[in-house]
């Protein structure tokens, strides 16, 4: 895999937190004071609602929120304060609060807390779906000092699942390949993406996915960056690639439209919430004429 020049914008930390987060499994025994509570019911986050923003509850005890808890998971410390992921028993809403899908709160919630919310919802969902052993059916236990569910009968360990996927910006001269997925709104285009298959390298996945979805061959594949994507548990690994040969031939089950676009004639594209938006921004900045 090729490396990049230090002045190149690819490869820089794209989705790092502005403040320090220390990942931990067990909280300090002597902590007293406020903590962040990422509380979910059916993967929707409980937030305090303001006029132009939403906030994650920060209280000394989760019981102060007036909600019923199924499970609680310690995540670590953000800016010195403990963070907890919580599964709620029902949709009972305290005054001034609401449940929001994570996608709904982007831009309204502080960006660091949005990232931590993505971590929290994946831990809650993993715990909820691994209450029983997939091998022998016994009730599992949460392992101490490690993020794992353990079967007491057969010893099977289950860890939080990550599904790696590639996402790639394909260039052809001064053009970028953009496509509209069959589940995208009319007029919305993005770069290509797809899940990695067992036994496949990331680079092989880039070549296969592009070939399968739009029928062309690509080369000069270079790493760009990565982003955790909690919808539901993906790790998006970004690349850039160059067109080699072939004519666009779309897989109609995946791609509704696709085409080559210059920087001055782009269709509607994703915002900066996603690495897709960052890849397209990289192409745009790269295409600007020098001053």
């Amino acid at each position: 895999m090729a490396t990049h020049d230090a002045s190149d914008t690819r490869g820089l930390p794209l989705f790092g937190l502005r403040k320090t987060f220390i990942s931990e499994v067990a909280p300090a025994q002597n902590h007293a004071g406020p903590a962040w509570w990422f509380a979910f019911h059916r993967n929707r986050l409980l937030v305090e609602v303001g006029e132009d923003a939403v906030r994650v509850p920060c209280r000394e005890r989760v019981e102060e929120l007036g909600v019923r808890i199924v499970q609680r998971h310690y995540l670590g410390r953000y800016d010195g304060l403990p963070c907890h992921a919580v599964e709620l028993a029902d949709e009972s809403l305290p005054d001034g609060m609401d449940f929001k899908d994570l996608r709904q709160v982007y831009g309204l919630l502080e960006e660091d807390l949005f990232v931590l919310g993505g971590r929290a919802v994946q831990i809650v969902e993993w715990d909820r779906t691994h209450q029983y052993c997939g091998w022998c059916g016994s009730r599992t236990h949460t392992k101490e000092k490690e993020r794992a569910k353990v079967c007491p009968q057969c010893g099977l360990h289950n860890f939080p699942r990550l599904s790696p996927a590639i996402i790639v910006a394909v260039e052809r001269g001064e053009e970028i390949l953009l496509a509209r997925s069959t589940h995208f709104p009319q007029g919305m285009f993005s770069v290509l993406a797809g899940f990695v298959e067992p036994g496949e390298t990331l680079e092989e996945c880039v070549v296969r996915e592009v070939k399968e979805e739009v029928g062309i061959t690509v080369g000069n594949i270079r790493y760009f960056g990565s982003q955790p994507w909690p919808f539901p548990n993906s790790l998006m690994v970004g690349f850039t690639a160059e067109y080699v040969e072939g004519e666009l031939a779309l897989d109609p089950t995946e791609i509704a439209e696709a085409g080559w676009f210059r920087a001055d004639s782009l269709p509607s594209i994703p915002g900066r919430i996603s690495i897709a938006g960052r890849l397209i921004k990289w192409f745009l900045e790269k295409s600007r004429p020098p001053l």
Side-chain angles (χ1 to χ4, degrees), residues 40-266:
F40 293 89
H41 179 70
R42 295 180 181 172
N43 293 343
R44 293 191 300 147
L45 176 65
L46 182 69
V47 292
E48 299 174 336
V49 181
E51 291 186 5
D52 55 358
V54 296
R55 295 178 295 275
V56 173
C58 190
R59 301 282 196 280
E60 185 165 346
R61 296 179 300 109
V62 69
E63 289 76 13
E64 296 175 24
L65 300 177
V67 293
R68 293 197 303 121
I69 299 169
V70 176
Q71 288 284 3
R72 179 188 312 186
H73 309 275
Y74 180 68
L75 301 178
R77 288 170 287 154
Y78 169 65
D79 198 28
L81 295 184
C83 299
H84 300 267
V86 177
E87 181 186 359
L88 300 181
D90 53 46
E91 293 182 288
S92 300
L93 279 173
D95 291 341
M97 295 190 181
D98 199 1
F99 285 105
K100 297 287 187 182
D101 184 272
L102 273 179
R103 296 177 193 264
Q104 292 179 285
V105 300
Y106 183 79
L108 301 175
L109 186 66
E110 185 179 331
E111 192 163 342
D112 279 9
L113 297 179
F114 175 84
V115 173
L116 291 173
R119 175 186 289 252
V121 71
Q122 291 179 78
I123 298 300
V124 167
E125 182 65 8
W126 159 75
D127 179 83
R128 188 182 69 82
T129 57
H130 288 80
Q131 293 293 307
Y132 294 90
C133 176
W135 180 256
C136 71
S138 300
R139 184 87 181 188
T140 58
H141 295 168
T142 300
K143 190 172 183 179
E144 293 185 9
K145 299 181 181 180
E146 189 174 9
R147 193 82 68 194
K149 304 289 286 186
V150 183
C151 176
Q153 297 299 318
C154 68
L156 181 68
H157 283 54
N158 277 293
F159 301 91
R161 174 183 173 182
L162 286 177
S163 301
I166 63 89
I167 184 164
V168 56
V170 179
E171 294 182 278
R172 185 180 70 175
E174 297 181 352
E175 299 173 312
I176 186 173
L177 176 64
L178 298 177
R180 184 172 72 84
S181 170
T182 53
H183 64 267
F184 280 9
Q186 189 70 32
M188 173 62 70
F189 285 70
S190 185
V191 291
L192 299 179
F195 286 103
V196 182
E197 294 185 351
E200 186 175 54
T201 69
L202 294 170
E203 295 87 347
E204 288 170 343
C205 183
V206 169
V207 174
R208 176 184 56 77
E209 281 290 340
V210 174
K211 187 71 172 178
E212 287 179 354
E213 293 193 350
V214 295
I216 65 172
T217 302
V218 297
N220 193 22
I221 299 165
R222 302 181 70 191
Y223 176 74
F224 178 87
S226 62
Q227 177 193 18
W229 190 244
F231 306 111
N233 50 28
S234 302
L235 176 63
M236 305 299 295
V237 186
F239 292 91
T240 62
E242 295 178 1
Y243 167 82
V244 173
E245 63 180 3
E247 298 294 330
L248 294 180
L250 311 187
D251 176 358
T253 63
E254 297 283 345
I255 306 297
E257 301 176 73
W260 297 100
F261 295 87
R262 297 177 62 89
D264 58 0
S265 61
L266 294 185

